Amino acid sequence: MSFAFYTHPACLAHDPGAGHPECPARLEAVIEALKAAYPDQPWREAPQALRSQLARVHDDALIATVLDTPLDGTRRLDPDTVMSAHSREAALRAAGAGVAAVDTVLRGDLRRAFCAVRPPGHHATADTAMGFCLFNAAAVAAVHALDAHGLQRVAVVDFDVHHGNGTQAILEREPRAMYVSSHQWPLYPGTGAREERGVGNIVNAPLPPLSGGREFRRIWAELLLPALDAFRPQLLLVSAGFDAHRLDPLADLNLEAEDYAWLSAKLVQLARCHAGGRLVSLLEGGYSLAALRESSVAHVGALLTD
Ligand SMILES: [Zn+2]
């Protein structure tokens, strides 16, 4: 199986401040666990996304806020979203990882890739950085696949415990894209009701607090995977947040690493059926280091299986 990881040291240097849950130790834990579990798999350096690639989904004002505003110490973009010295480059590398992985997979040089990056992206809308997210790397990658590569159908699959309001808002009027999400509800950011359907290309499956693997697997098997199957995506992008794990301190679902392995294997199967096996996954949330380690290893293990 041709596979690669993408990351960059700038993603470790992005520092939202002492005590912030979206801390550099998260990504250190993921990278260490993946290197220990899969020592033979290659790591590639994530390039910086181009402004023109960001501008396909983000307003000029947001791009300028993140990239051009002089930074004297730290700057708070919303109550949870803080920039410091290395945040600008981290955001560019996180989005650039997704773009580079899509380019490589669509050229046929790799079948699948996992982008071990931060800050996360799926809450960032066209014009607003929020919820720890600066640029929406998954949406940038999806629209890159459509506009730069001419794909007709790209799916973004989001199993982070929070709804990806930004990804949904960016893609909800784009019939060439599908966005499907399972998430705890009620929970931040408050979007993701079943009634939110976009142009028929959005499928949301909210789960009540304390739901576990049984409920999670049921909504994927009965609702979300069949919707993806009917859409026949030519490329799967995954917003891989691991904060629905039972150990996560920010949410109240009860998944185990095996549940991530189960869904990831289903997604690989779907990619093989419709997309020539092509799947690019990007790290989103996950705030328990132990859960991040075992869940990312379980997820990537499925991506490495032919
Ligand atoms: Zn999350």
Side-chain angles (χ1 to χ4, degrees):
M1 237 297 299
S2 55
F3 175 90
F5 295 107
Y6 282 83
T7 193
H8 191 277
C11 295
L12 291 166
H14 162 59
D15 179 11
H20 197 290
E22 205 288 278
C23 57
R26 298 178 56 242
L27 184 55
E28 281 168 15
V30 167
I31 292 173
E32 277 174 23
L34 291 172
K35 285 188 170 169
Y38 308 112
D40 297 333
Q41 296 301 324
W43 287 77
R44 297 188 179 190
E45 184 166 283
Q48 299 193 18
L50 305 176
R51 278 183 102 104
S52 57
Q53 293 164 344
L54 300 172
R56 293 196 188 106
V57 311
H58 288 300
D59 291 358
D60 292 343
L62 174 61
I63 296 171
T65 297
V66 175
L67 298 186
D68 302 336
T69 313
L71 203 55
D72 182 19
T74 63
R75 187 150 41 96
R76 195 170 288 273
L77 302 181
D78 91 342
D80 306 315
T81 312
V82 183
M83 290 186 67
S84 57
H86 301 284
S87 305
R88 175 185 327 202
E89 186 180 355
L92 285 171
R93 299 279 181 185
V99 169
V102 163
D103 283 341
T104 314
V105 163
L106 291 181
R107 272 202 311 268
D109 297 343
L110 293 177
R111 189 88 52 83
R112 292 189 271 283
F114 180 75
C115 302
V117 292
R118 56 184 285 279
H122 72 155
H123 295 308
T125 66
D127 61 3
T128 307
M130 59 182 280
F132 316 161
C133 302
L134 299 175
F135 295 135
N136 194 316
V140 169
V143 179
H144 180 74
L146 295 171
D147 287 0
H149 291 275
L151 293 196
Q152 292 302 306
R153 295 179 308 282
V154 174
V156 180
V157 176
D158 188 336
F159 56 73
D160 189 284
V161 79
H162 304 95
H163 181 243
N165 61 297
T167 314
Q168 174 173 305
I170 289 166
L171 298 178
E172 66 189 350
R173 284 180 293 281
E174 172 51 82
R176 298 174 297 165
M178 170 169 271
Y179 174 74
V180 308
S181 173
S182 64
H183 42 273
Q184 180 183 325
W185 199 86
L187 189 68
Y188 180 90
T191 51
R194 279 210 188 212
E195 297 72 34
E196 297 167 24
R197 296 298 316 277
V199 289
N201 63 336
I202 306 290
V203 189
N204 284 309
L207 286 164
L210 306 183
S211 297
R214 199 148 62 116
E215 294 85 353
F216 177 81
R217 294 186 193 206
R218 192 171 61 223
I219 51 112
W220 280 96
E222 291 180 1
L223 179 67
L224 300 174
L225 291 168
L228 286 168
D229 195 42
F231 182 65
R232 298 182 296 118
Q234 296 164 294
L235 171 70
L236 264 80
L237 300 175
V238 181
S239 271
F242 299 109
D243 39 10
H245 192 285
R246 67 183 167 80
L247 295 177
D248 195 273
L250 299 193
D252 308 297
L253 295 193
N254 286 317
L255 298 195
E256 304 279 358
E258 301 79 65
D259 297 309
Y260 293 115
W262 174 86
L263 176 58
S264 306
K266 296 284 185 196
L267 295 174
V268 165
Q269 200 177 1
L270 211 127
R272 290 177 63 193
C273 189
H274 298 296
R278 299 179 300 201
L279 185 153
V280 171
S281 178
L282 300 105
L283 181 65
E284 297 278 0
Y287 304 96
S288 155
L289 300 187
L292 279 167
R293 283 188 201 100
E294 63 173 33
S295 304
S296 60
V297 167
H299 174 58
V300 169
L303 303 192
L304 286 169
T305 305
D306 242 334

